[in-house]
């Protein structure tokens, strides 16, 4: 199987869409997180106008910052350092 090749603009668009979807899903799902009951939602009232805090997304942004600043060869100490400084 040959590798998939994407133009940089297409790749960036897909990554951007992924981040938007994760943020929107985290915001809309936050009020129901850990609720084991069946939900019957047809609309969000009120529709959020700002993203809510999202520990999953926040954590990934901290790891992204770490990768940008320290590169791909990371140690457990790098993760601990960024956890303490940013979380």
């Amino acid at each position: 199987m040959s590798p998939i090749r994407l133009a940089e603009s297409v790749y960036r668009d897909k990554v951007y869409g992924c981040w938007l979807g994760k943020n929107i899903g985290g915001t809309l799902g936050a009020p129901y997180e850990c609720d084991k009951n069946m939900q019957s939602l047809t609309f969000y009232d009120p529709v959020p106008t700002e993203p809510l805090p999202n520990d999953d997304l926040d954590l990934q942004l901290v790891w992204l910052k770490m990768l940008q600043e320290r590169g791909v060869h990371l140690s457990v100490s790098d993760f601990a350092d960024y956890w303490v400084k940013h979380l």
Side-chain angles (χ1 to χ4, degrees), residues 34-67:
C34 299
D35 184 345
K36 304 287 187 220
N37 298 310
M38 178 68 80
Q39 303 297 325
S40 181
L41 303 173
T42 58
F43 194 77
Y44 289 88
D45 186 22
V47 175
T49 58
E50 297 282 327
L52 296 176
N54 180 331
D55 59 335
D56 300 322
L57 184 62
D58 295 345
L59 187 60
Q60 290 177 350
L61 290 171
V62 170
W63 298 157
L64 177 60
K65 180 176 179 61
M66 180 179 60
L67 283 167

